[in-house]
């Protein structure tokens, strides 16, 4: 299949540029598009055949449900029933934006889209290109992140192209994603709201709207406990890991830098044929004696880190790095989301110094 690439300038969005993409979606095809979090791989959420194509293109396990993207709050009533008041309060505060709500699904949403579940994940993105695509096509768009299953989520069109060229009908290039980490997921189908995936909207942000909110137990634990099954099926899969081996080093800054420098020196002496690298905050770059240093953003500027993390993880692969030491990025209020992704990328390989 030929994958068509189109570029849309977000400063001058013209709805007529969405005609072909809309037709593809209406005909059951697949279009990758930007959102404020990561690029999504979109298909008609109410068309079981389109959902099946999404799973096939990504190589995604079929029990891992898709998020349905809408363009106005009242759309939730077409997709879900028994909607609690709290859903409207959350929508009021966080939509359009990087929040996904889990609600009880109506019959029109096929189980092919929800991985066999009776619930549906719904998100109203803030990205103008995403919203124009949804409203112009008149299609509720099921969209997982537009990466091959297991790879870091794509934060620019080139990442999508690397993973999905030849497997989907179209890629809409709208530039770099503003946030760079997937949405926060909150489940509203139980007695109390539960956060199933940490994201840019933090637990503290949610607590301003809902009295009681906790993380799903499976997310709370640093190391996955095989006895606790995450409520978001996707959280159980290995994810984001580059080919190289990442070790996260936690502790006081001076101890962390000393430990990493020592490890690099020892390793280089014992095996000079491998490629070593450090992942750190921009402020700390001068502290390292390493040939390959990857800055992940400014320690105190959460967005600089969230928006570069996945790009850096992909870059490590491109550069053929074998061994990576990473700092912990715990100085911002987005640390739960950032470290959730980084721990997974490192396969929970963590050293405390
Ligand atoms: O920011 C995002 O959420 C991006 C953009 C494209 O919107 N999408 C995204 O989709 O990250 P995906 O498929 O990569 O992740 C969806 C997550 C998975 O962990 C999945 O298991 C969970 O949402 N999920 C979807 N429907 C669910 C449901 N009914 N119940 C529990 N978890 C659900
Ligand atoms: Mg994903």
């Amino acid at each position: 299949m030929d994958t068509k690439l189109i570029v849309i300038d977000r400063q001058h969005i013209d709805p007529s540029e969405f005609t072909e993409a809309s037709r593809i979606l209406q005909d059951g095809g697949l279009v990758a598009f930007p959102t404020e979090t990561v690029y999504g791989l979109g298909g008609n959420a109410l068309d079981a055949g389109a959902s099946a194509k999404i799973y096939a293109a990504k190589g995604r396990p079929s029990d891992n449900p898709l998020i349905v993207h809408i363009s106005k709050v009242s759309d939730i009533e077409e997709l879900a029933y028994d909607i609690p008041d709290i859903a409207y309060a959350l929508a009021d505060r966080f939509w359009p934006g990087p929040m996904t709500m889990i609600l009880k699904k109506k019959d029109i949403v096929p189980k092919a889209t929800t991985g066999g579940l009776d619930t549906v994940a719904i998100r109203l993105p803030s990205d103008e290109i995403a919203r124009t695509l949804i409203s112009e096509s008149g299609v509720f768009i099921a969209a997982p992140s537009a990466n091959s299953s297991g790879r870091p989520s794509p934060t620019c069109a080139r990442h999508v192209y690397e993973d999905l060229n030849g497997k989907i009908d179209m890629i809409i290039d709208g530039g770099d994603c503003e946030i760079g980490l997937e949405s926060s997921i909150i489940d509203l189908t139980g007695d109390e709201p539960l956060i199933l995936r940490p994201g840019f909207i933090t637990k503290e942000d949610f607590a301003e709207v809902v009295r009681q909110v906790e993380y799903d137990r499976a997310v709370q634990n640093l190391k996955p406990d095989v006895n606790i099954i995450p409520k978001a099926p996707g959280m159980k899969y290995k994810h984001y890991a580059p080919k190289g081996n990442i070790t996260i080093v936690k502790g006081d800054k001076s101890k962390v830098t000393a430990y990493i420098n020592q490890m690099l020196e020892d390793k280089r002496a014992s095996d000079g044929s491998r490629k070593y690298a450090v992942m750190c905050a921009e402020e700390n770059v001068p502290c390292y004696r390493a040939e390959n240093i990857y800055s992940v953003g400014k320690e105190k500027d959460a967005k600089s880190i969230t928006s570069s993390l996945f790009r850096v993880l992909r870059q490590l692969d491109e550069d053929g790095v074998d061994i990576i030491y990473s700092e912990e990025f715990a100085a911002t209020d987005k640390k739960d989301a950032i470290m959730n992704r980084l721990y997974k990328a490192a396969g929970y390989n963590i050293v405390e110094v």
Side-chain angles (χ1 to χ4, degrees), residues 90 94 99 186 195 201-210:
L90 286 167
F94 299 117
M99 171 184 71
I186 187 160
I195 299 170
I201 295 171
T202 64
K203 188 177 169 204
E204 292 68 35
D205 296 331
F206 280 125
E208 286 174 17
V209 179
V210 296

Side-chain angles (χ1 to χ4, degrees), residues 1 12 19 21 38 97 163 182 214 218 256 274 315 319 337 350 353:
M1 174 191 296
H12 309 97
T19 311
V38 300
D163 285 12
E182 307 90 339
E214 289 302 332
V256 168
R274 305 235 259 171
Q315 192 66 45
D319 297 348
I350 300 158
V353 291

Side-chain angles (χ1 to χ4, degrees), residues 38 58 60 64 144-147 151 153 182 197 239-240:
V38 300
K58 276 181 67 89
R60 177 178 176 114
N64 190 3
S145 48
N147 51 291
R151 292 210 75 200
S153 299
E182 307 90 339
R197 180 171 71 183
H239 219 293
Y240 315 122

Side-chain angles (χ1 to χ4, degrees), residues 36-37 98 126 155 177-181 200-201 296-311 331-335 338:
E36 71 278 22
T37 58
S126 61
T155 56
C177 298
E178 182 195 335
I179 291 174
L181 294 183
F200 204 77
I201 295 171
V296 183
K298 296 199 187 71
E299 209 161 25
K300 299 258 155 52
D301 173 5
K303 232 181 204 171
S304 72
I305 298 179
T306 60
S307 64
S308 12
L309 183 64
F310 288 153
R311 179 178 47 73
T332 82
D333 63 332
K334 313 297 181 194
K335 66 173 187 305
I338 295 167

Side-chain angles (χ1 to χ4, degrees), residues 60-314:
R60 177 178 176 114
S62 62
D63 71 339
N64 190 3
L66 309 176
I67 295 175
V68 181
H69 295 70
I70 59 175
S71 60
K72 56 184 192 302
V73 175
S74 60
D75 289 342
I76 60 178
E77 285 142 34
E78 304 218 13
L79 301 166
Y81 70 98
D82 252 0
I83 301 170
D85 291 343
I86 198 73
Y88 291 97
L90 286 167
D92 213 40
R93 175 80 170 73
F94 299 117
W95 274 354
M99 171 184 71
T100 296
M101 290 190 217
I102 310 290
L103 295 168
K104 293 179 188 162
K105 86 167 188 70
K106 280 190 172 166
D107 288 340
I108 63 160
V109 184
K111 286 203 170 173
T113 299
T114 64
L117 298 177
D118 293 322
T119 55
V120 58
I122 306 178
R123 182 160 103 79
L124 199 173
S126 61
D127 185 290
E128 280 298 327
I129 296 178
R131 261 164 54 205
T132 310
L133 180 65
I134 303 162
S135 55
E136 283 298 307
S137 64
V139 166
F140 296 131
I141 303 182
S145 48
N147 51 291
S148 304
S149 204
R151 292 210 75 200
S153 299
T155 56
C156 64
R158 186 173 61 83
H159 296 161
V160 180
Y161 184 86
E162 281 165 11
D163 285 12
L164 299 176
N165 181 37
K167 298 180 177 171
I168 64 177
D169 299 285
M170 180 183 271
I171 299 172
I172 299 177
D173 183 348
D176 291 341
C177 298
E178 182 195 335
I179 291 174
L181 294 183
E182 307 90 339
S183 59
S184 308
I185 302 180
I186 187 160
D187 182 355
L188 303 179
T189 62
D191 293 336
E192 302 285 357
L194 265 190
I195 299 170
L196 307 191
R197 180 171 71 183
F200 204 77
I201 295 171
T202 64
K203 188 177 169 204
E204 292 68 35
D205 296 331
F206 280 125
E208 286 174 17
V209 179
V210 296
R211 231 174 351 102
Q212 187 73 23
V213 62
E214 289 302 332
Y215 279 122
D216 180 16
R217 278 174 63 211
V219 176
Q220 234 169 15
N221 290 315
L222 187 54
K223 296 217 178 188
D225 178 337
V226 287
N227 298 310
I228 304 179
I229 298 168
K231 291 222 160 81
M235 297 296 278
K236 70 175 179 271
Y237 294 107
K238 187 170 181 289
H239 219 293
Y240 315 122
K243 296 183 194 90
N245 184 42
I246 303 183
T247 303
I248 297 167
V249 186
K250 296 171 65 158
D252 285 348
K253 187 184 148 186
S254 59
K255 286 189 181 158
V256 168
T257 52
Y259 177 88
I260 292 179
N261 280 327
Q262 188 62 50
M263 289 306 285
L264 288 171
E265 202 170 298
D266 294 352
K267 297 242 168 183
R268 251 178 297 171
S270 67
D271 185 356
S273 68
R274 305 235 259 171
K275 193 161 178 182
Y276 302 96
V278 177
M279 265 171 81
C280 64
E282 198 174 305
E283 294 89 334
N284 300 337
V285 168
C287 305
Y288 292 101
R289 296 188 302 274
E291 272 161 56
N292 307 297
I293 303 180
Y294 293 78
S295 160
V296 183
K298 296 199 187 71
E299 209 161 25
K300 299 258 155 52
D301 173 5
K303 232 181 204 171
S304 72
I305 298 179
T306 60
S307 64
S308 12
L309 183 64
F310 288 153
R311 179 178 47 73
V312 170
L313 290 174
R314 279 178 180 255

